[in-house]
Amino acid sequence: MGRRFNTAGPCLPAEHYMIPALSRLPEVPGLVDLKAYFVVHAPRQTGKTTALRALASDLTAQGRYAALHFSCEAARAAGDDFGAATLGILQRIKEAARWQLPPDLRPSAWPMAPAAALLGTALREWAEVCPRPLVLFFDEIDALRGQSLISILSQLRDGYNSRPAPFPVSVVLCGLRDVRDYKAAAGGDASRLGTSSPFNIKLKSLRLGDFTPGEVADLYGQHTTDTGQQFAPGAVDHAYELTSGQPWLVNALAQEVVEEIGVPASEPITVEHLDQAKERLILTRATHLDSLTARLAEPRVRRIIAPLIAGDPLALDPYDDDLSYVRDLGLIAPNPPVRAANPIYREVIVRVLSASIQESVTADPRTFVRPDGGFDLPKALSEFADWWVENGDFLTSRGYYNEAAAQLILMGYLQRAVNGTGVVEREYAVGSGRIDLHLRWPYTTPDGIPRVQREGIEIKAWRTGRSNPLSSGLRQVDRYLDRLRLPTGTLVIFDQRRGAPSIDERTTLTTTASPAGRTITLLTG
């Protein structure tokens, strides 16, 4: 069987298409030569284990180091029992050394020592007898919690400070988060470790980045080389546009096209195939997407994502780590401005948060299909207005993502209304003051002509202490419709001021003119 796109576990060169590890973390060999202790972090499913395992193998193969990659995952269940956690890690070291290192570089039996000093003592004795300098990659270090994490980091720091006495020359801590967040995992009190950082000996923190456009082209090119299947013009660029290079998504899109949709190798993979694969991934909520969106319920995450969806400014204290934490999780882009990490995550976040709304919508989606097969947006907006009067106050009072509740409710209603036939694409960003929706509805007219109906919708909120957003909204919707090249559009304004008129008084559906002279459907609620 040939190689394939991998979405489950580390990549194996003989079985999977993969990008060389050194191109993804080129700084590592130099830091090891500096005898540095450092951190590598990245969101889940970005290829950390694949890259680190390959780097350890390369360092050992070059003959200068005994480099070992192992996982701390087995110690997760130990909790605060640092003795059990240490034994679990030492067992994983011994098992990993058995297949990664030649016999003369492997550790012998571990020494007897008190639990609080066992790891340091064991590594010290191994370094003393090993014919090469030791380099250790502690993968999944953030599986450790509480006293176990404190104990392991303290012993590593003590061993580092004792050099040139025998000890590993370089230690790499690898996990989901940067080291600054370890103090929270250790119990939230940095003073318990005697420092603001529990790993203050680290020289550098490296973030394993997403694939570049060139690496996406390289990965997909491997598939073409192996199978002969081409990517149509624009398809590889579109894959990068949809994923922003997120490694799991890059592989998952192609895997969905090749293995699930089953496009034959004799046919090229097109932009349309990738769009179909994107929708299938979103609808099926693959394991990676589910594990990612499960984080949305965390208060730290909600503090960032709620204003992001609502388009509100982000108000954080100067030393607030929540923004960095959500970046480390991979939900938002690694660089400013604050925005979803990629278009697929942007869509998944909103669909997950509005899913319960879709379940409560009783309107039959078939009633929004016009006789000619098009989507009856005026009817959908009219029925939403009635439904909003009945349910809006109750749904927005539940307190879950309350800053964006009204916007999520409308998006959930529209998602239910298009019911898989149409697509609602969303654009939102911190400080934008709005959410832009692009509704696309493919259909075939009664005389057999295929068409795609497109609608532009802008959602704004009127907050306490701010002026009526109608004027700015009309200017913004003009710019949005210019970009979409549409002659008309819809502006929705939710009045969320304290003391606003009652929901039945403020909910209206009318038309107005934009500054550019367009006829704009105006829904207020």
Side-chain angles (χ1 to χ4, degrees):
M1 182 177 177
R3 292 187 297 171
R4 58 191 292 267
F5 293 102
N6 182 35
T7 60
C11 291
L12 302 174
E15 299 179 17
H16 306 124
Y17 307 123
M18 57 184 291
I19 301 300
L22 191 57
S23 70
R24 303 200 65 204
L25 286 169
E27 307 98 326
V28 167
L31 289 171
V32 170
D33 287 342
L34 290 174
K35 302 180 180 179
Y37 281 34
F38 58 99
V39 172
V40 174
H41 68 102
R44 295 203 182 280
Q45 302 289 340
T46 51
K48 291 191 301 297
T49 298
T50 295
L52 297 171
R53 184 183 290 178
L55 285 166
S57 177
D58 287 348
L59 287 169
T60 300
Q62 290 168 14
R64 295 176 55 200
Y65 299 106
L68 186 70
H69 168 270
F70 58 92
S71 173
C72 301
E73 181 68 30
R76 181 187 298 274
D80 275 332
D81 186 345
F82 56 86
T86 300
L87 290 174
I89 289 173
L90 290 175
Q91 180 63 24
R92 288 300 297 127
I93 288 175
K94 182 154 285 193
E95 291 171 357
R98 190 177 304 127
W99 58 270
Q100 290 183 42
L101 299 176
D104 62 317
L105 301 182
R106 298 173 192 167
S108 56
W110 298 123
M112 298 293 292
L118 178 56
L119 179 70
T121 303
L123 297 183
R124 190 171 290 109
E125 290 195 5
W126 183 17
E128 189 172 8
V129 300
C130 186
R132 297 186 198 172
L134 287 177
V135 178
L136 301 181
F137 291 82
F138 284 71
D139 203 355
E140 302 285 352
I141 185 67
D142 41 13
L144 298 172
R145 315 297 294 178
Q147 290 297 320
S148 295
L149 181 59
I150 291 173
S151 176
I152 297 302
L153 296 181
S154 298
Q155 291 179 74
L156 291 175
R157 194 172 68 218
D158 181 62
Y160 174 90
N161 290 331
S162 71
R163 298 185 310 174
F167 208 69
V169 296
S170 185
V171 166
V172 189
L173 301 186
C174 320
L176 181 67
R177 298 165 294 183
D178 196 357
V179 69
R180 68 176 165 270
D181 213 52
Y182 291 3
K183 61 176 180 266
D189 184 359
S191 66
R192 296 169 69 188
L193 291 169
T195 171
S196 60
S197 168
F199 199 58
N200 65 333
I201 55 174
K202 64 117 178 180
L203 179 64
K204 198 168 186 179
S205 286
L206 305 178
R207 190 183 197 275
L208 182 65
D210 294 325
F211 290 157
T212 65
E215 288 172 332
V216 175
D218 182 354
L219 193 78
Y220 285 6
Q222 294 173 36
H223 174 73
T224 299
T225 299
D226 283 10
T227 67
Q229 186 169 39
Q230 300 290 323
F231 285 80
V236 175
D237 290 341
H238 189 58
Y240 182 80
E241 179 185 337
L242 291 174
T243 64
S244 298
Q246 203 286 331
W248 185 91
L249 289 176
V250 170
N251 278 279
L253 273 183
Q255 184 188 73
E256 193 75 21
V257 170
V258 173
E259 299 182 16
E260 301 301 325
I261 298 174
V263 177
S266 57
E267 296 181 16
I269 294 173
T270 66
V271 167
E272 291 73 23
H273 290 139
L274 293 169
D275 280 337
Q276 184 183 354
K278 177 203 76 170
E279 280 299 307
R280 288 168 61 99
L281 287 176
I282 292 172
L283 289 172
T284 58
R285 293 262 300 276
T287 302
H288 166 70
L289 297 179
D290 252 358
S291 63
L292 192 72
T293 54
R295 299 280 189 169
L296 295 173
E298 295 182 15
R300 298 181 70 183
V301 174
R302 190 166 65 242
R303 288 185 62 203
I304 306 301
I305 298 299
L308 171 62
I309 296 172
D312 290 339
L314 193 62
L316 294 175
D317 296 332
Y319 299 103
D320 197 316
D321 274 345
D322 289 353
L323 184 61
S324 297
Y325 174 69
V326 178
R327 280 203 171 107
D328 286 350
L329 292 177
L331 280 165
I332 60 176
N335 55 301
V338 176
R339 64 201 185 279
N342 54 67
I344 293 179
Y345 286 5
R346 184 175 65 208
E347 183 67 21
V348 169
I349 288 169
V350 171
R351 289 207 198 178
V352 167
L353 294 176
S354 62
S356 62
I357 302 301
Q358 297 176 48
E359 296 297 328
S360 64
V361 175
T362 57
D364 185 347
R366 291 173 295 184
T367 64
F368 302 128
V369 181
R370 301 190 309 242
D372 68 348
F375 181 72
D376 195 338
L377 180 59
K379 179 179 174 65
L381 292 173
S382 177
E383 293 203 10
F384 171 78
D386 293 340
W387 185 81
W388 173 252
V389 169
E390 288 288 326
N391 301 283
D393 280 341
F394 168 72
L395 291 172
T396 56
S397 67
R398 294 184 300 170
Y400 185 66
Y401 277 81
N402 58 310
E403 302 96 324
Q407 295 92 322
L408 289 168
I409 289 166
L410 174 58
M411 288 188 283
Y413 192 97
L414 287 174
Q415 194 68 50
R416 171 65 176 157
V418 300
N419 196 37
T421 300
V423 175
V424 182
E425 298 171 339
R426 307 145 223 267
E427 295 181 24
Y428 51 86
V430 160
S432 66
R434 67 189 187 275
I435 300 175
D436 294 328
L437 308 182
H438 182 200
L439 189 154
R440 292 187 294 111
W441 179 272
Y443 68 102
T444 302
T445 64
D447 51 0
I449 301 174
R451 296 189 185 280
V452 178
Q453 177 184 345
R454 297 165 58 239
E455 305 283 355
I457 304 167
E458 184 167 291
I459 312 173
K460 292 183 70 67
W462 188 357
R463 307 286 192 196
T464 300
R466 299 187 186 177
S467 59
N468 189 328
L470 176 60
S471 296
S472 63
L474 289 171
R475 291 193 300 270
Q476 288 168 339
V477 80
D478 260 338
R479 290 195 293 268
Y480 186 48
L481 296 174
D482 283 342
R483 185 149 56 89
L484 297 179
R485 298 182 181 179
L486 291 175
T488 62
T490 299
L491 174 62
V492 181
I493 298 177
F494 288 108
D495 191 343
Q496 298 183 298
R497 296 172 298 163
R498 289 189 299 272
S502 64
I503 194 166
D504 56 332
E505 291 179 288
R506 69 179 188 257
T507 300
T508 62
L509 184 61
T510 59
T511 60
T512 189
S514 72
R518 289 182 172 94
T519 298
I520 303 297
T521 299
L522 177 63
L523 171 63
T524 60

